[in-house]
Amino acid sequence: MEKTKHYYLTPLMAGWIEDLVNNKELLNRALKQYESPINIHCINNFQSNVHSYSHVLSSYGLRHKIYYARKANKCLVFPLTSWQINQGIDTASYREVKQCLDAGIPADSIVCTAAVKNRKLLEMLVQNQVEIVLDNEDEMKLLQEVCENLAIEANVILRLSGFVKQNKLLKSRFGFRLDDAYSIITERIGKGKEFSYFRYYGLHFHLNGYDAEERAIALYQSGELVERLHQVGIKTKSLDMGGGFLMNYLANEQEWNNFNDALKEAVLGDLNPITYGNDGLGLILNEGKLLGKIDVYPYYNKVNKENLLKTILETRFNDQPLYHFLKNLNLEIRMEPGRSLLDQCGITVAKVAFRKRDTENNLLIGLEMNRTQLRSSSADFLVDPLHLTNSDAPGDGQVEGYLVGAYCLEQEHILKRKILFKSMPQVGDLFVFVNTAGYMMHFYESEAHLFPLAKNLIYDSGTKVIVED
């Protein structure tokens, strides 16, 4: 077995993050006031991310609206900013909708795509005339009942599924299949029909994963449905392609490839472990063979964000680019990015509480935070943290170890990956996790042990001031 090697995953960092990292005094004051950990956000890159998508859509002559997916982050500053720059907000719960309405965001800038919509939520949506994305028959029946009781019509959008790629069905548990959607819209929605209180507005889909070709196919096949509806006199006002637009976290493609190769070698036993307990992050060793796949977000992506959107829109169908086909449909093209609109919009900062060795002599650096405060559906956050020392004493040289958290669990690791520290972390030092605003800091956070949730703060890069969201 080879000696342990260290595989760096260097983060990309916006200018405001670099400035803040270099201002340890400000970070320490914020931690003293709000306690560890804290989440710090900045809207500068959010605005530029929105404009990048908008510029692409405009350049192809597509009338459009970008809806920020609120579930990606709890801070109200982002939906407010989206509305202020004439875009929209995609909401997924009663509280998300209510907070937006209470903040003064008009209903016509909000759409609700919640996976489960109960009576309480539907009543608020109908009373405020928020557009509703419908997913299933029971939801439609409940909405009709709510509308009848309130004597108010509702603007509805049907969520689609059942797209076909190379004669293979794209599986999904959400939405109505294309053929079913046609019959629902033409035969069951509208005055004098089963769903008499519904006003058909548009179509929506959200695909799992990040495949550009699948999104192009789904747009095209949705567009074909729009044409069929138009032939029988039914106008579709919007077509929404959902989210899933890749972003890039890392500065170096080779580092990403090296880590992926090394993880496989380590699980096979050809390299010393580079994760705690030789965790394969989805890979499993069975009778000398690797099974499964690395179950993490693809943290390095050469084609990402607006360039991925270009790839989708330039895909050709019947000898014409997709954007040309969509433009001829004469409707509003929508998208609902969450993670990628929050690219470079937030960091998480935590304080070192202790250092110790486990029974296998692994160095453990305990942080005043828990693993749910840096967790998404990805098996690990594969971006190097920044170690900011508060000690005046010279460092002890490089050491390797793991960052662990505050929950009383053996598996309570902030990061599963082994980290090489330039010097031994000291109690009171800070660790900064870069680019955590999208899904990482809020999606799975919990208050187990009655630990309070991290305070959400906003950084003004002009005045260098940190305030509460």
Side-chain angles (χ1 to χ4, degrees), residues 50 53-54 57 64-68 82 87-89 335 337 341:
V50 173
Y53 281 127
S54 182
L57 292 163
H64 64 274
K65 193 163 189 174
I66 297 163
Y67 284 74
Y68 161 63
S82 186
Q87 304 301 332
I89 301 92
M335 58 189 299
L341 288 187

Side-chain angles (χ1 to χ4, degrees), residues 5 13 66 92 133 155 163-164 168 171 194 209 227 241 317 326 336 350 363 369 373 395 400:
K5 294 180 180 178
M13 285 197 295
I66 297 163
V133 175
N155 293 326
F163 304 107
V164 177
K168 184 177 180 181
K171 296 179 181 179
E194 180 182 357
E227 290 184 322
M241 69 181 90
F317 295 90
L326 295 175
E336 297 168 350
L363 174 64
M369 67 181 293
Q373 293 168 316
E400 60 183 23

Side-chain angles (χ1 to χ4, degrees), residues 105-144:
I105 297 173
D108 61 6
S109 293
I110 304 171
V111 65
C112 183
T113 60
V116 173
K117 304 180 188 74
N118 61 17
R119 185 181 297 272
K120 180 181 177 181
L121 172 58
L122 289 174
E123 285 177 346
M124 179 174 61
L125 298 175
V126 172
Q127 288 170 334
N128 289 279
Q129 290 293 282
V130 174
E131 291 175 13
I132 305 167
V133 175
L134 294 171
D135 176 77
N136 58 74
E137 284 275 342
D138 287 333
E139 197 170 81
M140 294 179 72
K141 291 174 181 177
L142 179 58
L143 178 60
Q144 173 68 16

Side-chain angles (χ1 to χ4, degrees), residues 374-427:
L374 190 72
R375 187 68 72 239
S376 70
S377 58
S378 186
D380 205 20
F381 185 54
L382 298 179
V383 181
D384 284 349
L386 308 179
H387 173 208
L388 306 184
T389 181
N390 280 318
S391 175
D392 293 329
D396 300 327
Q398 292 184 338
V399 294
E400 60 183 23
Y402 299 92
L403 299 177
V404 299
Y407 283 171
C408 300
L409 300 166
E410 286 287 350
Q411 63 269 36
E412 175 67 357
H413 293 87
I414 303 299
L415 300 177
K416 297 177 183 178
R417 185 164 54 94
K418 183 180 289 184
I419 303 297
L420 182 66
F421 308 110
K422 292 182 179 179
S423 62
M424 170 66 86
Q426 304 295 308
V427 173

Side-chain angles (χ1 to χ4, degrees), residues 24 27-28 30-32 34-40 347-354 365-371 373-374 385-390 403-406 414-415 425-434 436 454-455 457:
K24 284 191 294 185
L27 289 177
N28 280 311
L31 282 163
K32 183 176 181 180
Y34 298 107
E35 300 185 341
S36 176
I38 53 176
N39 298 317
I40 305 177
I347 61 175
T348 298
V349 187
K351 187 185 297 184
V352 174
F354 66 79
I365 308 299
L367 302 184
E368 292 183 19
M369 67 181 293
N370 67 70
R371 62 177 177 155
Q373 293 168 316
L374 190 72
L386 308 179
H387 173 208
L388 306 184
T389 181
N390 280 318
L403 299 177
V404 299
I414 303 299
L415 300 177
Q426 304 295 308
V427 173
D429 283 358
L430 307 183
F431 275 90
V432 178
F433 302 92
V434 176
T436 58
K455 183 65 70 175
L457 308 173

